[in-house]
Amino acid sequence: MTTPWITVIGVGADGLGGLGSAARRALAGADLVVGGERHQAMIGAGDVRADAERMTWNCGIDKTAQRITEWRGRPVAVLVTGDPLNFGAGSTLARHFGADDMTVLPHPGAFSLACARMIWSVPDVATMTVHGRALTAINRHLRPGARIVALSWNGETPQALAEILTARGFGPSRITVFAEMGAPSEKRFENRADDWSHGVVPDLNTVCIECVAGPDARWWSRVPGLPEEAFEHDSQITKREVRAATLAALGPIPGEMLWDIGAGSGSVAIEWLRAVEGTCAVAIESKAERVSNIRTNADNLGVPHLAVVEGEAPGALDGLDTPDAVFVGGGLTVPGLIEQAFGALRPGGRLVANAVTIEGQNMLQSWGATVGTTVTRLSVARARAVGGRTALRPMMDVVQIRAEKP
């Protein structure tokens, strides 16, 4: 094992004064010091060598990482906020450099500091970041009694989150904001979401939320099979019972990518993302009004990172990231579609397709015979009024196939 040449140093709001001896030695001995302008401004006389070079993130973290490779074998110190590997720049650097290259010296991160102030158990809290990400991601975590800690984008974030909570019926929720935690200038702001009056707070802030549901609040389970009314749709939606079986057949695993072809309302891709953290998905849909519904549903259900491609498969599949799983919900009879989708899978990937028409079912079973599939018929009946009584009325049967790529 080689000696690591990059030291990633977590810095708190108290600046370099809060660093331990190992971090100070690494900083003082560095040929190159990397950090944002705020961190660079913390460096005083004697903290680094006079001949040490400086580099900021102005060209982006990935490009900066590529520039750091030019210093391989020479001591490099990288200053980042808090815990570098918890929504920090260290996570991005880890995609470029391994344990042979890097040593990480963490500082207590915003999640730990905020939970300590709130006396909350960290494992019992939903932690997330909206730094550079859509605020609607918070919708996935809303439920009565939930505790959420969110890293902010800027000083306007708490107000924006309060407005989202209020709009979702969680106006009675208690919001506590800690700004510049650990610094002498640390401030605390708190109020109900529907009575938030603090306006813009300091940019470096963390938002703690205790969710309290109002009488008109709506929230949804993370277990697949949400009712159709959870989605905006034009009736082109996989019904909840079939959708739950479809997600079970797809079997999402952290880090995996799903293609949802002929996505309709996007319900399968959205439930894939909600069910398992760390998954990715692309919804491919040719009709503009349905694309609009998909984006609305992704926001409302807390997965705004769902990628949406407007176009018709198989042409729209060109250039997409390689999938680990594919769901074909529409376009089954398009020549070459299912073959191309199956061929695009990683080895060991799964393709699941549902058909309700005889033509679609025949095509699926004919194609399935060439690759080897599991075939399931799904029959669902729902209670409906019949005169003054109630009877179970069957929905259209669905034939589902599941094929696994060798």
Side-chain angles (χ1 to χ4, degrees):
M1 183 174 179
T2 61
T3 302
W5 51 281
I6 302 172
T7 303
V8 183
I9 301 169
V11 182
D14 54 351
L16 303 189
L19 297 183
S21 58
R24 287 192 167 279
R25 285 195 301 271
L27 186 59
D31 289 349
L32 172 68
V33 178
V34 182
E37 294 178 1
R38 184 173 67 87
H39 290 130
Q40 297 283 5
M42 294 176 178
I43 298 173
D47 290 327
V48 301
R49 297 203 321 263
D51 62 343
E53 293 202 34
R54 309 281 193 91
M55 184 186 298
T56 67
W57 307 105
N58 287 344
C59 62
I61 295 179
D62 287 309
K63 288 186 178 179
T64 301
Q66 293 171 10
R67 293 173 60 191
I68 292 174
T69 60
E70 300 170 8
W71 294 75
R72 181 174 294 278
R74 300 171 64 184
V76 174
V78 181
L79 300 176
V80 302
T81 299
D83 185 345
L85 295 175
N86 200 343
F87 293 119
S91 299
T92 303
L93 291 175
R95 294 198 291 268
H96 296 267
F97 307 101
D100 290 347
D101 301 309
M102 290 199 321
T103 297
V104 177
L105 303 176
H107 185 279
F111 296 136
S112 294
L113 293 173
C115 285
R117 284 155 174 74
M118 297 296 294
I119 318 298
W120 288 354
S121 168
V122 177
D124 298 329
V125 170
T127 57
M128 60 178 296
T129 180
V130 293
H131 186 84
R133 307 183 189 190
L135 300 182
T136 51
I138 200 168
N139 288 335
R140 181 164 43 154
H141 302 288
L142 298 183
R143 60 173 176 79
R147 289 176 169 177
I148 304 169
V149 180
L151 306 182
S152 280
W153 174 237
N154 56 27
E156 298 176 0
T157 300
Q159 175 71 50
L161 290 177
E163 291 172 0
I164 291 175
L165 286 164
T166 303
R168 300 286 296 186
F170 283 84
S173 300
R174 192 77 182 173
I175 298 179
T176 304
V177 176
F178 297 102
E180 299 172 354
M181 279 190 294
S185 58
E186 179 175 328
K187 295 181 177 64
R188 176 174 180 148
F189 308 87
E190 53 188 327
N191 211 336
R192 284 171 50 125
D194 55 9
D195 194 29
W196 189 257
S197 56
H198 297 290
V200 178
V201 303
D203 282 340
L204 186 61
N205 72 82
T206 302
V207 183
C208 302
I209 301 168
E210 293 182 87
C211 289
V212 179
D216 58 344
R218 298 187 80 190
W219 63 93
W220 305 105
S221 170
R222 298 277 288 274
V223 176
L226 294 181
E228 288 87 83
E229 57 264 29
F231 301 90
E232 297 287 335
H233 62 91
D234 60 357
S235 297
Q236 185 68 20
I237 182 171
T238 304
K239 298 302 186 285
R240 66 183 303 180
E241 299 87 353
V242 175
R243 194 180 332 118
T246 298
L247 266 295
L250 288 168
I253 295 172
E256 289 192 330
M257 164 66 76
L258 169 74
W259 286 359
D260 183 358
I261 301 174
S265 65
S267 61
V268 170
I270 288 169
E271 295 229 49
W272 164 282
L273 293 173
R274 284 173 56 85
V276 178
E277 297 283 355
T279 52
C280 303
V282 180
I284 301 101
E285 175 54 54
S286 61
K287 295 188 176 181
E289 62 273 19
R290 291 177 181 169
V291 167
S292 177
N293 284 341
I294 292 171
R295 293 196 169 109
T296 298
N297 291 331
D299 278 339
N300 288 342
L301 292 166
V303 288
H305 55 295
L306 170 64
V308 184
V309 173
E310 184 175 349
E312 192 162 343
L317 307 180
D318 293 340
L320 299 182
D321 290 340
T322 303
D324 301 280
V326 172
F327 172 61
V328 184
L332 275 175
T333 57
V334 175
L337 170 59
I338 198 164
E339 291 84 358
Q340 182 172 331
F342 187 72
L345 283 167
R346 295 186 192 277
R350 296 87 63 200
L351 182 145
V352 176
N354 296 339
V356 295
T357 66
I358 292 175
E359 292 82 2
Q361 292 174 5
N362 289 340
M363 190 283 300
L364 277 185
Q365 296 191 53
S366 175
W367 173 79
T370 68
V371 296
T373 59
T374 300
V375 181
T376 305
R377 185 176 71 181
L378 304 172
S379 300
V380 178
R382 291 182 179 175
R384 294 288 186 269
V386 178
R389 299 179 184 274
T390 305
L392 287 170
R393 288 192 173 177
M395 300 164 61
M396 287 189 292
D397 283 0
V398 175
V399 170
Q400 180 180 93
I401 67 161
R402 183 185 188 276
E404 187 168 315
K405 189 172 183 180

